[in-house]
Amino acid sequence: YSEVRAVRGMGQKTKTILYPNPSKNGTVHVIFEGESEAARQVVLIDMNGRVVKEWKNITGNSLQIDNLNSGVYHLRIIDKRTGSQATEKFVVNR
């Protein structure tokens, strides 16, 4: 097997770091790289497409999500100024 590496496209403007992935205790830390003043809307979605939680007007560089059940989740990050969206996937193994 080969080493696992992350790849980002040249045109991707937002960079988001989620850790730990997979999470073993139901807590995930999200770090937003880039402009800290930019307002973001963050939506946590489960694998059934249901919105689990939503944050509006996040202006800080970090977010902590707690008390998640086991499963696969998607985190949709929307830059409210430009309208650009990014989606990150992570796993919770409790």
Side-chain angles (χ1 to χ4, degrees), residues 13-81:
K13 295 178 181 169
T14 60
K15 294 182 182 178
T16 307
I17 300 169
L18 286 118
Y19 70 93
N21 190 9
S23 171
K24 297 195 184 304
N25 63 2
T27 298
V28 176
H29 301 277
V30 184
I31 306 295
F32 305 105
E33 293 182 341
E35 296 180 39
S36 61
E37 311 86 39
R40 298 173 184 88
Q41 178 180 355
V42 180
V43 182
L44 179 64
I45 304 166
D46 67 11
M47 280 306 290
N48 293 320
R50 292 181 297 223
V51 173
V52 176
K53 185 139 175 126
E54 185 173 1
W55 297 267
K56 296 183 180 190
N57 296 320
I58 298 289
T59 55
N61 281 341
S62 66
L63 175 66
Q64 182 173 323
I65 306 170
D66 295 314
N67 301 320
L68 294 174
N69 295 323
S70 293
V72 178
Y73 295 89
H74 287 93
L75 197 65
R76 183 183 306 145
I77 301 124
I78 303 163
D79 184 328
K80 295 186 89 173
R81 184 185 48 186

